[in-house]
Amino acid sequence: MKPKAIFNWSSGKDSALALYKILKEDHFEIISLLTTINKEFQRISMHGVPVPLLEKQAEYLGLNLIKMEIPAEPSMEDYTDIMIRTMNEIQSQGVTHSVFGDIFLEDLRQYREEQLQSIGMQAVFPLWKKNTADLINEFLDLGFKTIVTCVNETYLDKSFAGRIIDRDFIKDLPENVDPCGENGEFHTFTFNGPIFKSPVRFTTGEIVKKTYPKPKLNEGDEEGEYAFWFCDLIPL
């Protein structure tokens, strides 16, 4: 009998490729997708994708969906508390593993592993330490389709929001931007590919700028803000 696993689904390309690989390897029984939702706006955190499109993704992937709702600006303590309660409930269903699409962020992996170990679960990273240029090309070669829903203005300008990722998009990225956006440069919504039963239909809406306060990590840090461009996706 295969161990049961939950898949941490962001709606974007790294999640889609990691899910493709984990399903192909067939070492785990994926019982559900788990997605973090902004409770106030009913959108996927950071990606800005509305919940109805997320639900369509889950439907066309043929998987159950668990939505973990968090406040619009949660503290790390709030987030951790909600996450642990959610994972305890998932664990009660016999789930022993949690799958992530992370590629090379060591501190994030350590955080995930420590939180899961505290409740007796294990983390799985199908894309870990893979070359990100190779991953994005593999993603495109497999026939996945994804659109950029959010860009960090520190790295990319407004023109990148709302673009479909293809070879031209990759060529247009500045040298300091990871081709998978692994440093948070951009986020995506994957709407078709080899694991989808049908394409998720949508149209694009406004592209809007939103700012968020920078966290103060040390005493005396100057106040500042992060700016992001979001392309709204409207379900059809």
Side-chain angles (χ1 to χ4, degrees):
M1 183 180 295
K2 292 181 290 188
K4 293 182 178 180
I6 196 84
F7 191 96
N8 293 267
W9 180 256
S10 71
S11 80
K13 58 180 176 33
D14 297 340
S15 279
L17 185 57
L19 180 59
Y20 169 85
K21 288 181 177 293
I22 211 78
L23 292 174
K24 188 175 181 181
E25 291 169 359
D26 199 29
H27 294 159
F28 298 95
E29 177 189 353
I30 304 298
I31 69 157
S32 183
L33 305 176
L34 172 64
T35 304
T36 303
I37 303 297
N38 182 309
K39 186 175 182 179
E40 180 180 354
F41 298 105
Q42 287 298 294
R43 291 175 180 265
I44 299 173
S45 300
M46 283 313 302
H47 289 237
V49 175
V51 165
L53 285 177
L54 168 65
E55 292 171 338
K56 279 296 179 185
Q57 276 187 324
E59 178 185 345
Y60 293 157
L61 289 168
L63 290 168
N64 181 46
L65 174 65
I66 298 171
K67 292 171 280 188
M68 186 175 77
E69 295 189 335
I70 61 171
E73 294 182 17
S75 66
M76 181 55 71
E77 291 77 12
D78 289 338
Y79 174 82
T80 299
D81 181 60
I82 294 169
M83 187 271 290
I84 291 294
R85 283 190 280 110
T86 301
M87 294 309 297
N88 277 326
E89 185 175 340
I90 289 169
Q91 188 187 36
S92 70
Q93 302 173 35
V95 176
T96 56
H97 292 74
S98 187
V99 186
F100 299 90
D102 303 315
I103 304 171
F104 59 66
L105 298 179
E106 297 280 359
D107 55 344
L108 184 56
R109 174 170 179 155
Q110 182 179 352
Y111 171 78
R112 298 197 197 285
E113 288 178 330
E114 288 175 351
Q115 295 301 318
L116 288 169
Q117 286 171 4
S118 72
I119 60 171
M121 291 181 64
Q122 297 181 50
V124 181
F125 300 88
L127 307 183
W128 191 249
K129 293 297 184 181
K130 305 291 185 184
N131 180 282
T132 50
D134 292 341
L135 286 176
I136 192 63
N137 281 298
E138 180 182 5
F139 178 86
L140 295 175
D141 289 342
L142 286 167
F144 281 105
K145 303 293 182 184
T146 198
I147 185 171
V148 177
T149 59
C150 169
V151 299
N152 185 333
E153 193 180 56
T154 303
Y155 302 98
L156 296 170
D157 62 41
K158 178 182 179 181
S159 68
F160 284 88
R163 285 185 62 175
I164 301 293
I165 292 187
D166 54 16
R167 274 11 188 251
D168 287 336
F169 176 90
I170 298 168
K171 290 177 184 176
D172 290 343
L173 291 175
E175 288 186 6
N176 66 327
V177 173
D178 182 80
C180 283
E182 180 69 351
N183 296 304
E185 299 98 328
F186 60 92
H187 299 287
T188 59
F189 174 76
T190 300
F191 56 91
N192 201 8
I195 53 177
F196 286 83
K197 297 175 182 177
S198 180
V200 180
R201 299 180 65 243
F202 65 90
T203 188
T204 55
E206 287 186 291
I207 296 176
V208 298
K209 185 178 183 178
K210 295 185 179 181
T211 58
Y212 303 89
K214 287 184 179 179
K216 287 189 174 183
L217 302 178
N218 301 294
E219 188 75 24
D221 282 355
E222 293 185 7
E223 293 186 357
E225 60 184 21
Y226 293 113
F228 296 86
W229 289 100
F230 287 89
C231 177
D232 193 20
L233 304 184
I234 302 166
L236 291 177

